[in-house]
Amino acid sequence: MKSYSIALIPGDGIGRDVTGATWTVLETVAKRSGFALTGTEFPWSCRFFKEAGRMMPENGIETLRSFDAILLGAVGWPSEVPDSVSLHGLLLPIRKAFVQYANIRPHRLLPGVTGPLRAESFDILCIRENTEGEYSGAGGRVHQATLDEVAVETSIFTRAGVERILRFGFEQARARRGKLASVTKSNAQKYSMVFWDEITRKLAAEYTDVEVMSYHVDALAARMIMAPESLDVVVASNLFGDILTDIGAAIQGGLGYAASANINPDRSAPSMFEPVHGSAPDIAHLGIANPIAAIWSGAMMLDHLGETDAASRVMKALEATTTRGIGTLAGKDRTDAITAAVVAALT
Ligand code: NAD
Ligand code: IPM
Ligand code: MN
């Protein structure tokens, strides 16, 4: 029997609840589909930090490298550990070390879920650059705590980094409805985003079957709300993609529905699957976190592992659940009840 080794990092807050829910669904579908999933749980989190003084052990990255995939809940407990410490100690290093340069985030309404918009028929795939750009981590502070203090945080855009994410975007557009929106801000950022636009144009000459449009990020943010049905694949830099995908989450009904996959496209290291949302300290411990975003991310993991039939069964079960009105209103159904309904709907 085919078997996959999965590293489970539930993390903090509701990350723990939604990862547990996802694992229950994945184990069930694996059994029914005739393959095995072996989960190894790592307690790396802000709680771990309080004891160990770090978010993961020194050899954490090397430990994860041998797994087929990583399933992550959420990281962050800002009242105990500053976010700048916790995220730079766990989530962000994994994305970078494993060259998970394509962060894929689908935005569409599941049946029965009402979003805040009149438009109901949008289907957007956001492709976010995930290893460099505004998140490069280059910078520093000098003259700290004086009136002369300076903070510098430099975005780094490399030709290799920009070209590979744009190419990934063109490929996704080619496989879908043939439309690509390349997100820029070259009216203000005259080096990095002009560079981004140039490479967009260079690749457009190669992908003549893809209709590509460049949009400034502010205009695209408005378009996602005013005319989301006009968008197919959206490709953006790290920070632009981060912000746009919370808009994507909002228009699909909320963060409880927004899934994401951090993909290493050449498969030289494991990819990581996690919902877009964070640890939600405001509702942690209440048992009301919506697990749908995390379960959807789990389906993306099965797809990446090549278990496409199991992946589509999980998606069908999610859709059957929301069609019945379960998990469609914030706080109405408990995490466990939604999970049980998804498991019951699995064919
Ligand atoms: P958040 O996504 O945790 O929460 C934002 C709002 O959405 C909250 O009101 C929350 O209750 C709600 N929400 C989120 N997920 C939900 C779900 N599944 N079901 C129902 N409601 C849900 O964002 P935040 O409050 O800005 O961040 C909290 C912590 O999480 C911070 O430490 C932040 O840095 C971290 N964070 C981590 C990740 C990650 O690990 N990938 C992502 C975003 C934020
Ligand atoms: C996300 C999150 C992270 C990001 C944070 C927690 C660092 O917001 O995955 O969208 O900005 O990438
Ligand atoms: Mn985000």
Side-chain angles (χ1 to χ4, degrees):
M1 183 162 49
K2 234 180 177 175
S3 174
Y4 304 95
S5 61
I6 310 298
L8 298 170
I9 309 177
D12 299 297
I14 65 163
R16 312 183 69 75
D17 308 347
V18 300
T19 306
T22 304
W23 193 246
T24 302
V25 173
L26 294 182
E27 277 193 312
T28 310
V29 79
K31 237 175 247 151
R32 303 234 182 120
S33 307
F35 62 89
L37 291 174
T38 317
T40 306
E41 189 168 326
F42 297 95
W44 307 340
S45 60
C46 290
R47 194 184 297 167
F48 182 88
F49 181 94
K50 301 291 276 183
E51 285 159 27
R54 35 189 318 136
M55 291 296 293
M56 61 175 157
E58 219 164 324
N59 66 350
I61 292 292
E62 285 326 299
T63 304
L64 294 175
R65 195 178 288 280
S66 62
F67 286 87
D68 291 319
I70 304 162
L71 193 66
L72 183 134
V75 180
W77 201 255
S79 59
E80 304 260 339
V81 183
D83 278 351
S84 58
V85 172
S86 58
L87 276 312
H88 282 277
L90 185 53
L91 178 73
L92 298 172
I94 297 175
R95 290 179 181 169
K96 289 179 188 177
F98 294 150
V99 206
Q100 296 166 348
Y101 69 81
N103 188 321
I104 306 179
R105 298 181 162 186
H107 302 296
R108 61 186 168 81
L109 282 166
L110 292 177
V113 178
T114 317
L117 304 183
R118 279 188 308 252
E120 290 208 330
S121 59
F122 58 87
D123 180 357
I124 301 172
L125 191 69
C126 273
I127 309 293
R128 165 187 179 188
E129 201 293 318
N130 215 26
T131 54
E132 56 167 42
E134 307 88 343
Y135 281 47
S136 65
R141 286 169 68 171
V142 291
H143 310 305
Q144 281 198 43
T146 73
L147 291 176
D148 300 318
E149 182 159 4
V150 179
V152 178
E153 188 133 15
T154 306
S155 297
I156 294 180
F157 288 86
T158 65
R159 181 172 287 278
V162 174
E163 186 159 337
R164 70 188 178 188
I165 194 65
L166 286 171
R167 191 175 287 286
F168 192 89
F170 274 99
E171 291 289 338
Q172 293 293 315
R174 177 174 272 176
R176 286 172 42 107
R177 302 195 301 280
K179 277 174 74 171
L180 181 67
S182 175
V183 181
T184 185
K185 189 62 192 172
S186 50
N187 50 359
Q189 297 185 299
K190 63 181 181 176
Y191 304 113
S192 57
M193 284 295 130
V194 168
F195 181 53
W196 179 280
D197 291 353
E198 276 173 22
I199 299 178
T200 299
R201 281 196 297 273
K202 183 185 103 147
L203 291 181
E206 250 181 72
Y207 290 86
T208 49
D209 53 325
V210 173
E211 180 194 324
V212 58
M213 281 282 292
S214 285
Y215 294 96
H216 293 302
V217 63
D218 43 356
L220 192 89
R223 178 172 285 270
M224 283 182 75
I225 290 165
M226 301 301 289
E229 70 287 349
S230 69
L231 296 165
D232 178 11
V233 178
V234 171
V235 62
S237 68
N238 212 329
L239 181 61
F240 290 170
D242 176 49
I243 298 165
L244 292 174
T245 54
D246 260 38
I247 297 180
I251 65 173
Q252 73 190 127
L255 280 157
Y257 305 98
S260 114
N262 303 273
I263 299 289
N264 170 319
D266 60 19
R267 296 175 185 262
S268 58
S271 293
M272 175 165 66
F273 301 82
E274 50 161 343
V276 171
H277 66 72
S279 59
D282 56 340
I283 59 160
H285 312 305
L286 297 181
I288 55 165
N290 192 334
I292 290 179
I295 297 170
W296 188 338
S297 308
M300 293 173 85
M301 182 181 87
L302 295 179
D303 209 34
H304 180 76
L305 292 172
E307 297 295 344
T308 49
D309 180 58
S312 78
R313 284 156 81 171
V314 172
M315 288 312 297
K316 284 200 182 98
L318 282 179
E319 284 164 5
T321 301
T322 56
T323 298
R324 289 176 55 209
I326 298 170
T328 53
L329 267 183
K332 178 173 75 70
D333 299 304
R334 300 184 62 80
T335 312
D336 288 351
I338 301 172
T339 309
V342 176
V343 168
L346 275 173
T347 53

